[in-house]
Amino acid sequence: MKLKAEQPDPFLLDARSKRMVEELDPNRMPRHIAVIMDGNGRWAQRRHLPRVAGHRAGIEAVRDTVEMSRWLNIEALTLYAFSKENWKRPKSEVSVLMRLLREYLHKELARLNRNNIRFQVLGRMDDLPALVQKDLVYGREETRNNTGMIFNVALNYGGRAELVDAFKRLAVRMRTNGLDLDQLNESDIEGELYTAGLPDPDLLIRTSGEMRVSNFLLWQIAYAEIWVTPVLWPDFRRQHLLEGIIEFQKRERRYGGLQA
Ligand code: FPP
């Protein structure tokens, strides 16, 4: 695959990443990549730092992954930043995470716009602190006309909660005769998910070696290829993303059918 001229700073790619880009088959690129960013705490622990130092270091990995995905013309990238279950963490850690998110948006908004990236949030936004909501809405509105890539951040997100929300909306439609139970099909459900209108993730990446899906995009990952890397999230960079895509391209996707 050739890097396109309009892609910013392709020369910043190290020689190994450049070789990896050349190795990619442009006809077999994932349309949507979803990432479970894991290992921030362990990264910090290994350095005798507080856990939040790992989250802060993780921001650089977010920036690199977003920009590399854009350069590769990925349609959608979804990062799992805060699950519904993460409220169980100490208050101080939660508030640093919220602050980091706001800082990220303040710092990166201009860059997201320059790179034609549309920012969106997946999750129950209403339960987030008011200032966070305000910044998220601002980021979403300011980038809403961008067409290069959709960048979703899953926040206060739970896959089961997403399904509950979808079923509630379907129930309302049924009650008001907007939908007939006998006609209910998979696309009706898809149309009520937070990801409505997006292709399902083709590739699900999890960092830090854990083999779990952790309530992430449960409906949407039905046929995703899963790639787990031992790399801890703060160390994750473009070469790891490329490694994941190369691995994805080696997989044979049968969707329950037989080998071609
Ligand atoms: C998991 O590591 C990571 C998180 C719960 C938070 C991820 C958030 C960021 C990288 C910062 C903000 C994100 C954006 C999109 C700007 P962990 O703490 O569970 O690590 P551990 O398993 O090693 O303890």
Side-chain angles (χ1 to χ4, degrees):
M1 173 168 164
K2 286 208 161 69
L3 278 168
K4 290 204 177 121
E6 80 260 17
Q7 287 166 329
D9 292 334
F11 305 110
L12 289 182
L13 287 184
D14 57 282
R16 184 162 162 255
S17 301
K18 264 190 192 166
R19 274 199 305 277
M20 288 167 105
V21 169
E22 281 157 16
E23 206 183 301
L24 292 175
D25 177 351
N27 300 314
R28 296 193 62 195
M29 291 298 284
R31 292 178 67 193
H32 184 173
I33 299 176
V35 186
I36 303 178
M37 309 183 282
D38 196 12
N40 294 356
R42 274 162 283 169
W43 184 93
Q45 229 166 18
R46 285 179 197 175
R47 288 163 178 76
H48 307 288
L49 295 169
R51 290 179 52 80
V52 292
H55 297 318
R56 185 166 285 283
I59 297 281
E60 197 47 50
V62 169
R63 188 180 294 120
D64 209 55
T65 303
V66 168
E67 299 206 344
M68 191 63 200
S69 301
R70 171 67 189 108
W71 294 358
L72 293 169
N73 282 322
I74 301 298
E75 268 175 63
L77 172 74
T78 301
L79 303 185
Y80 201 4
F82 193 82
S83 74
K84 263 183 82 253
E85 291 69 36
N86 285 153
W87 295 108
K88 292 179 202 151
R89 295 189 177 205
K91 244 185 169 169
S92 54
E93 182 173 339
V94 171
S95 69
V96 169
L97 277 169
M98 295 296 154
R99 199 167 63 233
L100 284 175
L101 256 165
R102 297 187 62 208
E103 268 178 42
Y104 171 84
L105 275 176
H106 286 232
K107 278 202 197 130
E108 294 297 308
L109 197 57
R111 244 176 123 108
L112 290 177
N113 272 329
R114 241 188 347 265
N115 287 324
N116 198 17
I117 295 170
R118 180 173 179 182
F119 171 81
Q120 296 192 144
V121 180
L122 308 183
R124 290 185 178 166
M125 250 173 83
D126 295 352
D127 301 332
L128 294 169
L131 284 175
V132 178
Q133 285 189 44
K134 191 167 146 262
D135 287 351
L136 293 172
V137 169
Y138 184 73
R140 193 177 64 193
E141 293 310 308
E142 286 294 300
T143 60
R144 70 172 313 127
N145 295 320
N146 293 342
T147 53
M149 180 179 84
I150 291 176
F151 168 34
N152 297 312
V153 174
L155 266 178
N156 193 24
Y157 175 88
R160 289 181 174 181
E162 177 180 28
L163 289 170
V164 170
D165 289 350
F167 297 153
K168 279 184 181 166
R169 281 194 289 269
L170 287 169
V172 171
R173 275 174 54 196
M174 274 180 202
R175 213 186 298 139
T176 53
N177 295 325
L179 187 67
D180 178 354
L181 181 57
D182 295 329
Q183 303 293 319
L184 182 71
N185 58 36
E186 292 185 5
S187 35
D188 291 318
I189 295 173
E190 269 155 19
E192 298 296 346
L193 297 175
Y194 306 149
T195 49
L198 287 177
D200 285 342
D202 305 288
L203 171 61
L204 172 66
I205 296 176
R206 181 162 191 151
T207 60
S208 91
E210 304 287 350
M211 305 281 184
R212 286 189 292 277
V213 291
S214 299
N215 201 13
F216 190 39
L217 301 174
L218 295 181
W219 174 283
Q220 298 90 331
I221 60 169
Y223 287 103
E225 295 296 327
I226 301 179
W227 182 67
V228 176
T229 170
V231 172
L232 303 178
W233 178 252
D235 292 327
F236 191 88
R237 290 294 180 276
R238 50 193 64 187
Q239 62 271 24
H240 304 113
L241 179 70
L242 289 166
E243 205 183 311
I245 299 175
I246 289 171
E247 182 58 39
F248 165 81
Q249 294 194 335
K250 289 183 190 151
R251 307 266 179 98
E252 192 199 350
R253 304 185 78 192
R254 294 202 297 269
Y255 301 95
L258 296 178
Q259 203 168 347

